[in-house]
C-alpha cells in the first residue's frame, strides 16, 4: 500500500484499524489483533502526530523514520487486551513484526526516548523502535503461539515423556502452560550466590519484573558465596511462558548487565528466618506426615520419592505411610523418582529444577504474571530437566503492599459510606474503577498469604485440560510456605492498620 492510499490521523478509527489490520503478521487471532489495534488507535486519537507516526511505521514496514508512539504505563507495566495481560511493546511487536517473539528478546533502538526499559511514565509501543535479540541457545523452530482446534488445548497426562509438544494458545479459559526443556548449549558456567545465613544478612540477586537478568558479572562468588562447592548454573533467560531451558550460561553481550540489581539492599532489615521454607505433603486432600522445615543453612532442598530418612536438605516422600492410600495414589508415587530440587536464591527468590523422569505441575503467581495471566489462572507444566524461576520475592512484596493498601482504602471508604459520609474522589486510594469497593475490601489475610505459597503436583496435572479440576484431586502434591515472604507480609500488615473514617464537615 503506498503512502498516498494510507489513512491519516484525521480519518475515522475504523479506517485506521482496517488499514493496520492488513499488516499484522498472523501470530494472534483476528479477534485479539483487532481489539489490540482498536485499543491503541483510540488511545492515540488525541495525539495525532504519534498516530501518524504509527501509521507510517506500520504501512511502510519501518522504511520511513518514525517518532515514539506512546501510551500510559500501567501500575504493573502490563496491558490488558481481550482478557489477556502482556507487556505493551511486546504485544504490538508480535502483531506487526515477530509473531513468535519472546518478551525478553526485545532491545530498544538508541533514539527511542520512551522505551519500556527506560521506566518512563509513558511507554513507546512503536514496533520499529525495538530490535530483536535472539541468543543462540533458543530454539524457536518448534514454538507456536496459537493452537488450531480443540486438540491444541489438550495436554496428555501420560507417564511416558515423549518430548515437549507445541505450546497452546493462552487466550480464553484457565489452562496448562508448558515449560519444556530445550537443547543444552555447552558453555562455561558461572556461579550465582547462595542464600546468605541469618547472621550475614540478606540480599537479592534477582531482577525485578521489568529488568533483564544480570549475567556476566566478573566475580560473583567473591563476596556472596556461602561455600565454594555451590556453583549452580543460570538458565537461559528469565522465565517467560514460551520455553524454559536446562541450565546454561551466556556471554555478557547478549543481555544488558545491571550490576546494581545483583547488589540490591535487602527488602527488610529484619533478620532472615531460621527456616527458609516449610513443605507439607498431601495425597488428594489429606496431609500425610509431618511438615518438613528447611533450614536457611540449606539453600537447596530435594523432594523425592525414595525411602531414606529425611533430614536437612532432603525430604523423602517414599517413606511416608497413609492407611487411606489407594492403588491409584500408590502407582503415581512410584513415578515421583528423583523428584524436584528447590533452590532459594538471594533474599528469597525460588527456582525449581525437575529431576524426575516425569513432569511436575506448579501453581505459581510469578509464572502466571510472566505468562500474562491473572493470578491462579494457569497451571504450569514443568518438564524433566527444566530449571525455572517460580517465585520472585520483590515482586511478591510489591503485590502484597498494593493489595493491602487497596483493601485498607476500600474498607475505610466502605466504613465512611456506612457512617453516612460520601467519600471524595481521592479517598479510594487509587483503586481502579473496575474493582468494586466491596470486592477490594474483601481482600483478607488468607488472600495475601497465598502470594507466599507454592503448590506442586507430581506426575498428574489438574485444570480444564485434565479430569482433575483442583490440585486436591491429584494423587501426590506438596505445598511450600516461603518464610521470608511470610515475614515480609507480617511487616506489611503491621504497617497498614485500617484507619477509622474521618467524618466530612
Amino acid at each position: 500500500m503506498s503512502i498516498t492510499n494510507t489513512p491519516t490521523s484525521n480519518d475515522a478509527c475504523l479506517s485506521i484499524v482496517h488499514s493496520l489490520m492488513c499488516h499484522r503478521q498472523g501470530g494472534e487471532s483476528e479477534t485479539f489483533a483487532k481489539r489490540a489495534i482498536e485499543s491503541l488507535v483510540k488511545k492515540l486519537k488525541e495525539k495525532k502526530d504519534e498516530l501518524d507516526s504509527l501509521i507510517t511505521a506500520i504501512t511502510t514496514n519501518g522504511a520511513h523514520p518514525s517518532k515514539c508512539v506512546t501510551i500510559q504505563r500501567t501500575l504493573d507495566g502490563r496491558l490488558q487486551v481481550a482478557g489477556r495481560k502482556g507487556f505493551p511493546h511486546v504485544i504490538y511487536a508480535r502483531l506487526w513484526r515477530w509473531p513468535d517473539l519472546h518478551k525478553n528478546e526485545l532491545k530498544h533502538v538508541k533514539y527511542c526516548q520512551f522505551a519500556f526499559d527506560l521506566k518512563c511514565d509513558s511507554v513507546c509501543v512503536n514496533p520499529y523502535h525495538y530490535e530483536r535479540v535472539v541468543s543462540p541457545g533458543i530454539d524457536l523452530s518448534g514454538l507456536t503461539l496459537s493452537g488450531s482446534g480443540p486438540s491444541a488445548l489438550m495436554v496428555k497426562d501420560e507417564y511416558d515423556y515423549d518430548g515437549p509438544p507445541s505450546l497452546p494458545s493462552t487466550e480464553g479459559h484457565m489452562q496448562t502452560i508448558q515449560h519444556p526443556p530445550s537443547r543444552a548449549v555447552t558453555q562455561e558456567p558461572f556461579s550465582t550466590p547462595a542464600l546468605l545465613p541469618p547472621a550475614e544478612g540478606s540480599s537479592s540477586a534477582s531482577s525485578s519484573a521489568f529488568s533483564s537478568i544480570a549475567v556476566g558479572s566478573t566475580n560473583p562468588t567473591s563476596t556472596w558465596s556461602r561455600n565454594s562447592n555451590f556453583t549452580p548454573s543460570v538458565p537461559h533467560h528469565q522465565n517467560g511462558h514460551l520455553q524454559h531451558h536446562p541450565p546454561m550460561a551466556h556471554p555478557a553481550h547478549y543481555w544488558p548487565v545491571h550490576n546494581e540489581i545483583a547488589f540490591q539492599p535487602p527488602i527488610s532489615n529484619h533478620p532472615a528466618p531460621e527456616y527458609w521454607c516449610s513443605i507439607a505433603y498431601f495425597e488428594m486432600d489429606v496431609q500425610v506426615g509431618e511438615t518438613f522445615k528447611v533450614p536457611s543453612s540449606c539453600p537447596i532442598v530435594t523432594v523425592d520419592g525414595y525411602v531414606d530418612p529425611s533430614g536437612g536438605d532432603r525430604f523423602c516422600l517414599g517413606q511416608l505411610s497413609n492407611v487411606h492410600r489407594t492403588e491409584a495414589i500408590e502407582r503415581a508415587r512410584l513415578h515421583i523418582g528423583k523428584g524436584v530440587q528447590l533452590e532459594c536464591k538471594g533474599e528469597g527468590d525460588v527456582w525449581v529444577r525437575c529431576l524426575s523422569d516425569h513432569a511436575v505441575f506448579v501453581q505459581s503467581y510469578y509464572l502466571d504474571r510472566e505468562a500474562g495471566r491473572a493470578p491462579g489462572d494457569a497451571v504450569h507444566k514443568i518438564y524433566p530437566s527444566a530449571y525455572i524461576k517460580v517465585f520472585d520475592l520483590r515482586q511478591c512484596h510489591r503485590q502484597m503492599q498494593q493489595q493491602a493498601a487497596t483493601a485498607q482504602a476500600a474498607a475505610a471508604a466502605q466504613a465512611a459510606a456506612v457512617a453516612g459520609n460520601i467519600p471524595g474522589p481521592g479517598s479510594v486510594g487509587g483503586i481502579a474503577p473496575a474493582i468494586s469497593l466491596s470486592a477490594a475490601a474483601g481482600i483478607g489475610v488468607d488472600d495475601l498469604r497465598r502470594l507466599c505459597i507454592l503448590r506442586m503436583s507430581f506426575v498428574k496435572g489438574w485444570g480444564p485440560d485434565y479430569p482433575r479440576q483442583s490440585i486436591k484431586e491429584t494423587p501426590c502434591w506438596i505445598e511450600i510456605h516461603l518464610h521470608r515472604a511470610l515475614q515480609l507480609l507480617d511487616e506489611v500488615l503491621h504497617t497498614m492498620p485500617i484507619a477509622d473514617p474521618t467524618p466530612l464537615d
Side-chain angles (χ1 to χ4, degrees), residues 409-411 413-414 417 423 428 431 435-442:
Q414 257 192 343
V428 183
I431 300 173
I435 304 176
S436 69
L437 285 178
S438 58

Side-chain angles (χ1 to χ4, degrees), residues 84-85 94 101-103 145 167-168 170 177-180 238-244 367-368 370-373 380:
R84 289 167 50 187
K85 274 195 169 186
R94 282 177 182 159
L101 177 72
H102 185 277
K103 72 179 181 64
L145 284 180
L167 299 175
T170 59
I177 296 176
Q178 302 181 55
H179 303 264
Q238 186 177 336
N239 309 323
H241 65 286
L242 287 183
Q243 195 164 21
H244 291 283
L367 286 179
D368 291 344
E370 290 295 288
R373 308 290 294 197
H380 301 268

